[in-house]
Amino acid sequence: MQTPWPPLPTTPRKDIEWRLPRRARSVGRARELFREQVASWGLPQGVTDTAELLLSELMTNAYRHAKVPAGREIWARCTVAEDRIRVTVTDANDTLPTPGTASLEDESGRGLALVAALADDWGTERRQCGIGKEVWFEFVTTPSNHRKQITGESCLQVTQLRLLGD
């Protein structure tokens, strides 16, 4: 018998996607669906709490800023493989977002800064089909390796971002 190539992962891949209408209430629905799913997968609470916050930020950005025709959806996907969780939000707008610099008076504009501060990795890319973009972030899920839960160094970064908004 031949060994499959490439070698199979040592743990099964967990993958789920939600397609939600481009409405404000879809942000809360995405958080709810995410919480239920990661609980069933038994992921560490510190990782999932932070990932839920960042999912909310990306869903809010897609809802508020993706100027697309009516009826377009926002897709949220969560994938766990080996020791990483990856959350991706997809919308039909082609403009790739970049972290902004919010002024002291701004009530918004810090979402991607939070993603950059708290995620182990993140990025943006155009969809392969040519319509829209994906914004994603990743966390290491093993507690001993996870550096950026909402504690320690990242708590200071989040506090600094909040102070900018006060």
Side-chain angles (χ1 to χ4, degrees):
M1 183 168 139
Q2 292 182 325
T3 303
W5 184 259
L8 298 174
T10 56
T11 58
R13 183 179 171 113
K14 300 168 183 169
D15 192 346
I16 191 161
E17 182 177 79
W18 305 283
R19 297 179 180 200
L20 302 166
R22 195 177 149 262
R23 296 188 182 127
R25 66 179 170 218
S26 292
V27 176
R29 181 69 177 139
R31 285 193 310 263
E32 178 184 350
L33 292 167
F34 178 80
R35 272 193 310 270
E36 291 172 4
Q37 188 62 54
V38 295
S40 75
W41 288 342
L43 297 177
Q45 187 73 40
V47 173
T48 59
D49 287 348
T50 307
E52 181 183 342
L53 168 69
L54 300 187
L55 168 63
S56 183
E57 294 294 337
L58 296 186
M59 287 292 295
T60 300
N61 284 353
Y63 160 69
R64 286 188 178 170
H65 303 297
K67 304 300 181 207
V68 297
R72 295 289 184 163
E73 296 174 316
I74 302 170
W75 298 358
R77 183 176 188 175
C78 180
T79 306
V80 178
E82 295 296 322
D83 67 343
R84 299 192 78 73
I85 182 172
R86 181 177 181 128
V87 176
T88 305
V89 173
T90 304
D91 64 54
N93 186 300
D94 292 332
T95 305
L96 296 178
T98 56
T101 305
S103 73
L104 294 175
E105 295 80 30
D106 291 337
E107 293 182 11
S108 62
R110 295 174 183 84
L112 284 181
L114 277 172
V115 173
L118 296 176
D120 289 323
D121 195 12
W122 77 280
T124 64
E125 53 199 43
R126 296 198 193 290
R127 292 184 62 213
Q128 291 179 357
C129 68
I131 299 173
K133 67 176 169 301
E134 296 179 345
V135 183
W136 56 269
F137 62 85
E138 288 185 343
F139 286 108
V140 173
T141 57
T142 51
S144 61
N145 292 336
H146 189 67
R147 304 176 314 281
K148 293 190 176 183
Q149 296 176 18
I150 302 183
T151 59
E153 72 181 70
S154 62
C155 187
L156 175 61
Q157 292 169 333
V158 171
T159 302
Q160 291 168 340
L161 288 170
R162 286 188 180 145
L163 290 175
L164 289 173
D166 290 341

